Amino acid sequence: MMSCYTRAIEMGMLSENLKYISIAAALMIIGITLGISMPLGEGEITDNPLLEGLESIVGYYTPYNPLSVAFLFFKNTLTVAMAFFLGPLLLIVPVMVLALNGFLLGMVANVVASQVSFAGALASLLPHGVFELPALVIASAAGIRFGIASMKKLRAIISHTDYSLAADFKKSSKLVLVAIALLLVAALLETYLTPYILELVMVPQ
C-alpha cells in the first residue's frame, strides 16, 4: 500500500516536471553529441590535450577507496546544488552544467573508444553513468524550473501583480533530493563496480 502511494507520488512529481526534464535532457544530448564529434589528436590517451583539464579531478579518485565515494558524491552534489540554486541567474548555470558535462562525457567516450576500445568506453562510463546522468538532468531541470519561476516573480514585482514562488521552489527542490539520492548510488558504483568491470574488459585476451 505504502509502496504504491510512494510510486504514485514519484510519477506525479516527474509528470509535472516533464517539460523541464525534457529540455534538460535535450541540452545534455546536444552536449554529448558535440563532445563525440570533437576531432581527436594523435598519441597516447594520457597525452591527449582534450583530457588535460580532467587530470586534477582524476587525481583525487582511487578505485575501491571509501574516500573516493565521498569525493565523487561531494563533487557531483556541489554541481547539482549550483545548477539549482543559481538557476535564477538567467538559467545560465543549469544550462552550462548540462552542456559542459554532456560535452565532457561525449569527449571522453570518443577518446577512450578510439584509443582503447568501444567496450572500454562503455565499461568506464556506463555502470555509474546510468545514475549520474539522470541525476544531472533532473537537478538541472529543477534549476530551469526555479529560474523560470524566479523570472516570473521578478516580472510580477515590476508589474505590481501577484505571483508565488514558493510552490515552484518546493516542487523543484524535491527533484534535487531525487538527484542527490541518485548521485550517492552513482558514487558507490563508480568507486566499486566501474573499476571492476573495466578490469574485466581490459584483461588481455
Side-chain angles (χ1 to χ4, degrees):
M1 181 73 172
M2 182 61 71
S3 62
C4 292
Y5 177 72
T6 303
R7 205 172 297 121
I9 293 176
E10 292 173 349
M11 291 300 296
M13 181 173 61
L14 292 176
S15 63
E16 68 184 6
N17 290 286
L18 183 59
K19 63 180 179 180
Y20 302 104
I21 294 175
S22 298
I23 293 172
L27 290 170
M28 174 68 78
I29 292 172
I30 291 173
I32 293 173
T33 302
L34 291 175
I36 292 175
S37 63
M38 278 291 292
L40 300 177
E42 298 180 354
E44 297 295 326
I45 186 171
T46 54
D47 297 327
N48 196 299
L50 297 176
L51 299 179
E52 289 180 358
L54 299 178
E55 288 181 359
S56 59
I57 296 177
V58 174
Y60 291 99
Y61 169 79
T62 304
Y64 312 114
N65 188 334
L67 291 178
S68 293
V69 178
F71 166 71
L72 292 169
F73 180 65
F74 175 77
K75 175 181 69 71
N76 291 326
T77 299
L78 181 61
T79 299
V80 301
M82 289 175 57
F84 176 60
F85 289 108
L86 298 182
L89 299 179
L90 302 177
L91 308 179
I92 294 174
V93 177
V95 170
M96 288 300 297
V97 165
L98 289 165
L100 182 59
N101 279 277
F103 178 82
L104 289 175
L105 174 66
M107 179 188 69
V108 171
N110 190 20
V111 172
V112 175
S114 298
Q115 300 192 14
V116 180
S117 68
F118 181 71
L122 289 180
S124 63
L125 299 171
L126 193 59
H128 62 277
V130 295
F131 291 93
E132 185 175 316
L133 291 184
L136 292 175
V137 168
I138 290 173
S140 297
I144 292 172
R145 175 169 187 161
F146 183 36
I148 293 175
S150 299
M151 293 178 188
K152 290 180 180 178
K153 179 64 175 180
L154 180 60
R155 185 175 61 185
I157 293 174
I158 294 174
S159 60
H160 302 288
T161 56
D162 185 41
Y163 181 81
S164 176
L165 188 61
D168 282 291
F169 178 80
K170 183 178 180 180
K171 292 177 180 179
S172 299
S173 60
K174 289 180 180 178
L175 287 178
V176 176
L177 294 178
V178 172
I180 291 174
L182 291 174
L183 288 178
L184 179 57
V185 177
L188 288 166
L189 292 177
E190 188 169 359
T191 301
Y192 294 102
L193 181 60
T194 297
Y196 175 74
I197 294 178
L198 193 56
E199 288 170 2
L200 294 178
V201 171
M202 300 302 293
V203 170
Q205 301 297 319

